[in-house]
């Protein structure tokens, strides 16, 4: 009980995982003073703590949903979705499924790891006329980015004229090195 005109000091202490927001008189200080001018009721308002769930990843080639602010005790669901040509590897917490659910008890920072899919292409190497010359046999299926070298050897009385890919001559050197970037048929011309 206070006399009219006296100053009353009140304090609000939040329970674990909550924080003080404001008093019913508008004060945002957990400990505040009021001048008593009549009977009064002060109500302290609290809110549950929130935590940040963040994910690091390369936004240019993939997406992750579910990052943001979550109240203490709730569940954050994160989903990693690779763009075409990529696949999901795992989360930095050791989880390997693209969608995970985590209980929120503190800030969470994760990294989503993705990798490019391995793309394979067919390489065919042939001689336009095996009577005029032979070629090294490196034909087959290769991962994109593989470096290959093909060699044409003319038979006696012939010379090598070039490597034909589609309708274009891509090299006039008997030894030709290229990087596999698509299905390709190379034909040695003699």
């Amino acid at each position: 009980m206070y006399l009219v005109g006296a100053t009353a000091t009140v304090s609000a202490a939040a329970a674990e995982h909550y924080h003080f927001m404001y008093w019913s008189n508008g004060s945002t200080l957990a400990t505040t003073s009021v001048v008593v001018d009549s009977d009064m009721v002060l109500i302290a308002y609290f809110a549950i703590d929130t935590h940040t769930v963040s994910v690091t990843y390369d936004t240019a080639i993939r997406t992750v949903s579910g990052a943001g602010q979550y109240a203490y005790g709730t569940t954050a669901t994160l989903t990693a979705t690779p763009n075409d040509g990529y696949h999901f590897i795992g989360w930095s917490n050791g989880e390997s499924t693209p969608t995970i659910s985590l209980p929120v008890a503190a800030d969470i920072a994760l990294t989503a790891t993705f990798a490019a899919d391995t793309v394979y292409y067919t390489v065919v190497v042939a001689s336009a006329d095996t009577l005029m010359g032979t070629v090294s046999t490196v034909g087959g299926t290769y991962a994109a980015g593989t470096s290959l070298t093909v060699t044409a050897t003319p038979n006696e009385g012939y010379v090598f004229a070039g490597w034909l890919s589609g309708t274009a001559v891509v090299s006039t050197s008997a030894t030709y090195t290229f990087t596999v970037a698509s299905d390709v048929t190379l034909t040695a011309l003699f």
Side-chain angles (χ1 to χ4, degrees), residues 29-171:
L29 301 173
T31 299
T32 191
S33 296
V34 293
V35 175
V36 177
D37 56 7
S38 65
D39 287 343
M40 63 176 53
V41 175
L42 282 177
I43 300 171
Y45 292 91
F46 299 87
I48 195 162
D49 290 344
T50 58
H51 297 285
T52 301
V53 176
S54 60
V55 180
T56 303
Y57 60 98
D58 185 343
T59 59
I61 54 179
R62 56 212 53 105
T63 59
V64 174
S65 63
Q69 295 292 314
Y70 287 86
Y72 173 84
T74 59
T75 299
T77 299
L78 303 173
T79 301
T81 306
N83 288 355
D84 289 342
Y86 293 87
H87 60 278
F88 178 71
I89 299 291
W91 298 98
S92 56
N93 67 351
E95 295 285 339
S96 60
T97 59
T99 299
I100 58 172
S101 294
L102 304 168
V104 177
D107 288 350
I108 299 171
L110 293 175
T111 300
T113 303
F114 298 83
D117 292 343
T118 303
V119 178
Y120 292 92
Y121 294 108
T122 300
V123 175
V124 176
V125 180
S127 172
D129 187 335
T130 56
L131 295 176
M132 295 181 192
T134 59
V135 295
S136 59
T137 54
V138 295
T141 303
Y142 294 92
T146 301
S147 180
L148 292 178
T149 300
V150 291
T151 304
T153 307
N155 290 337
E156 189 175 327
Y158 295 94
V159 293
F160 177 74
W163 288 103
L164 183 68
S165 178
T167 59
V169 174
V170 292
S171 176

